């Protein structure tokens, strides 16, 4: 158990002045300092009463944060936080008291935060379990997509996810003939054409589902650990647990974003998929997948005709003679 220190925070200057023994401009030195009473955090600055040197004047630097101290004559004064560090060496009683008090206050605030967070423990754990189950289902669907699409397409979907737009682009080329009948190009003869946009490609980033599940377990474990604490834990342990529980909102947001991305991909138009790969057999396979996804399952030949029709329409729309995969 860490050393017991009474924590009191003064929130107004009048509270300090009402402290029995308080004196205005009351000098504080290593020789007359007795112990800390509490700390102050004020909207307005008050002047530090540290005595610069024996028989010297007061510091009088303004501070919004500092400490209320009792002196050996039982009077009360104030010192600024930073001035206390600057004017007293690290081995002084004041320096030790400041360190103990700061740790005790942090411990008190952390325990209060944990107690507040535990009020929503049951609802939070239910939500985490729901998300964990939903992520397992979504992950199984994404794994099925990977297997269905093949490595070449999946790698391009990952590239789209990293780019962030989801736009599937091909190169359009206009063929010109010179006076000798040879093909001739200039810079205006080649340009990018956006075939379509695949929403939700973020689900193809590696290890996302595994990371989200690990985050869920970490937060759930922190809730359980906090419930079992007996008050003898070190402040650093308490802070770690509080931080993990406090991560609940972020973890929920990450999980919900991932689930939304999977739903977006499942509902987006898959017709751009064949334009992600160069191999013809892969293109026709993905054309068949895209047709089935749109509710028009058919033979390989039907999918091939569908893709050729789509390519002809793009050539006509953009006035090009050839489309080439940009990947």
């Amino acid at each position: 158990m860490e050393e017991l220190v009474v924590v009191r925070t003064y929130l107004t200057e009048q509270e300090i002045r009402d402290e029995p023994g308080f004196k205005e401009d009351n000098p504080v030195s290593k020789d007359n300092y007795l112990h800390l009473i509490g700390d102050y955090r004020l909207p307005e600055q008050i002047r530090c009463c540290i005595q610069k040197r024996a028989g010297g004047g007061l510091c009088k630097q303004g501070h919004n944060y500092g400490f209320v101290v009792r002196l050996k004559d039982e009077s009360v004064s104030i010192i600024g936080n930073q001035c206390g560090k600057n004017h007293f060496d690290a081995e002084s009683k004041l320096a030790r008291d400041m360190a103990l008090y700061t740790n005790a206050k942090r411990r008190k605030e952390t325990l209060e935060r944990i107690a507040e967070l535990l009020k929503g423990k049951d609802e939070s754990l239910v939500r985490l379990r729901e998300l964990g189950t939903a992520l397992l289902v979504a992950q199984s669907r994404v794994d099925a997509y990977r297997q269905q699409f093949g490595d070449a397409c999946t790698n391009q979907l990952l590239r789209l996810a990293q780019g962030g737009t989801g736009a599937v682009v091909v190169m359009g080329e206009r063929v010109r003939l010179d006076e000798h009948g040879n093909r001739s190009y200039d810079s205006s003869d080649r340009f990018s054409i956006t075939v379509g946009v695949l929403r939700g490609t973020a689900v193809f980033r590696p290890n996302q589902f595994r990371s989200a599940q690990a985050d869920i377990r970490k937060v759930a474990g922190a809730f359980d650990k906090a419930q079992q604490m007996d008050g003898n834990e070190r402040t650093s342990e308490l802070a770690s647990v509080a931080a993990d529980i406090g991560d609940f909102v972020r973890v929920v947001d990450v999980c919900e974003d991932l689930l939304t991305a999977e739903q977006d991909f499942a509902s987006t138009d898959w017709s751009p998929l064949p334009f992600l790969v160069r191999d013809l057999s892969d293109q026709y396979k993905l054309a068949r997948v895209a047709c089935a996804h749109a509710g028009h399952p058919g033979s390989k030949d039907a999918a091939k005709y569908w893709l050729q029709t789509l390519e002809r329409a793009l050539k006509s729309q953009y006035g090009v003679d050839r489309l080439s995969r940009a990947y």
Side-chain angles (χ1 to χ4, degrees):
M1 185 73 177
E2 298 185 7
E3 182 175 338
L4 179 63
V5 177
V6 177
V7 175
R8 177 181 178 183
T9 299
Y10 297 81
L11 300 178
T12 68
E13 186 175 354
Q14 189 58 49
E15 288 181 29
I16 300 174
R17 292 181 178 280
D18 290 342
E19 187 68 39
F22 176 81
K23 291 182 181 180
E24 193 79 29
D25 295 333
N26 192 9
V28 181
S29 68
K30 292 181 184 179
D31 294 331
N32 69 358
Y33 167 76
L34 183 61
H35 61 78
L36 293 180
I37 298 176
D39 68 299
Y40 64 83
R41 291 181 180 272
L42 308 177
E44 71 281 0
Q45 291 189 340
I46 55 177
R47 296 184 301 177
C48 175
C49 290
I50 284 181
Q51 192 172 28
K52 291 183 177 180
R53 55 188 177 275
L58 302 183
C59 170
K60 292 191 176 182
Q61 182 175 337
H63 296 273
N64 299 97
Y65 170 53
F67 295 96
V68 180
V69 300
R70 189 169 298 281
L71 307 182
K72 291 179 180 178
D73 64 359
E74 293 300 321
S75 65
V76 172
S77 189
I78 53 175
I79 61 172
N81 176 53
Q82 196 59 47
C83 288
K85 294 178 180 178
N86 293 340
H87 290 276
F88 290 78
D89 61 70
E91 300 303 317
S92 68
K93 185 177 188 303
L94 175 60
R96 293 195 301 272
D97 286 354
M98 287 171 61
L100 286 171
Y101 185 92
T102 299
N103 186 62
K105 182 170 183 178
R106 184 164 70 97
R107 180 184 183 84
K108 179 176 180 289
E109 291 173 343
T110 303
L111 285 169
E112 290 172 351
R113 174 163 169 72
I114 289 174
E116 188 64 29
L117 291 168
L118 282 175
K119 291 179 181 178
K121 173 178 177 286
D122 293 341
E123 294 82 357
S124 297
L125 290 177
V126 168
R127 182 63 181 138
L128 291 175
R129 284 193 293 270
E130 291 173 346
L131 288 170
T133 300
L135 286 173
L136 288 174
V137 175
Q139 183 177 6
S140 68
R141 285 196 291 259
V142 173
D143 289 343
Y145 296 152
R146 294 177 187 275
Q147 186 172 4
Q148 186 180 26
F149 298 162
D151 291 342
C153 179
T154 298
N155 288 338
Q156 293 305 322
L157 288 169
L158 173 58
R159 186 190 59 79
L160 289 180
Q162 293 169 334
T165 66
V168 178
V169 177
V170 295
M171 296 300 297
E173 297 180 359
R174 294 191 181 104
V175 178
R176 302 187 186 191
L177 300 179
D178 61 19
E179 66 272 17
H180 303 293
N182 297 318
R183 290 185 176 186
S184 174
Y185 296 94
D186 62 33
S187 59
S188 65
D189 291 327
R190 291 188 180 91
F191 54 90
S192 299
I193 296 172
T194 298
V195 177
V197 176
L198 292 167
R199 296 181 296 113
T201 55
V203 293
F204 292 96
R205 292 175 183 150
N207 301 319
Q208 284 193 105
F209 288 97
R210 182 183 302 173
S211 177
Q213 294 283 13
D215 284 344
I216 287 174
R217 290 191 296 271
K218 186 175 183 180
V219 175
F223 269 115
D224 290 338
K225 187 173 182 180
Q227 193 71 62
Q228 297 168 15
M229 285 180 169
D230 59 9
N232 290 318
E233 294 77 16
R234 296 182 62 83
T235 301
S236 57
E237 295 178 74
L238 296 173
S240 177
V241 170
D244 288 344
I245 297 176
D247 206 27
F248 172 82
V249 173
R250 183 197 67 82
V251 170
V252 169
D253 287 344
V254 167
C255 293
E256 289 180 342
D257 287 347
L258 190 51
L259 292 171
T260 298
E262 193 278 325
Q263 292 166 4
D264 286 346
F265 185 79
S267 62
T268 197
D269 177 11
W270 285 7
S271 60
L273 286 178
F275 295 90
L276 289 174
V277 295
R278 294 181 181 275
D279 184 83
L280 273 177
S281 62
D282 285 343
Q283 291 175 23
Y284 295 147
K285 179 184 75 172
L286 289 167
R288 196 170 183 181
V289 168
C291 287
H293 180 258
H296 308 294
S299 65
K300 182 178 180 180
D301 287 340
K304 180 178 178 181
Y305 177 76
W306 169 85
L307 179 57
Q308 291 171 343
T309 301
L310 180 56
E311 289 178 335
R312 284 195 297 270
L314 286 169
K315 290 176 184 177
S316 175
Q317 179 182 353
Y318 291 96
V320 296
D321 300 293
R322 187 171 66 176
L323 298 174
S324 61
R325 273 52 178 174
Y327 312 106

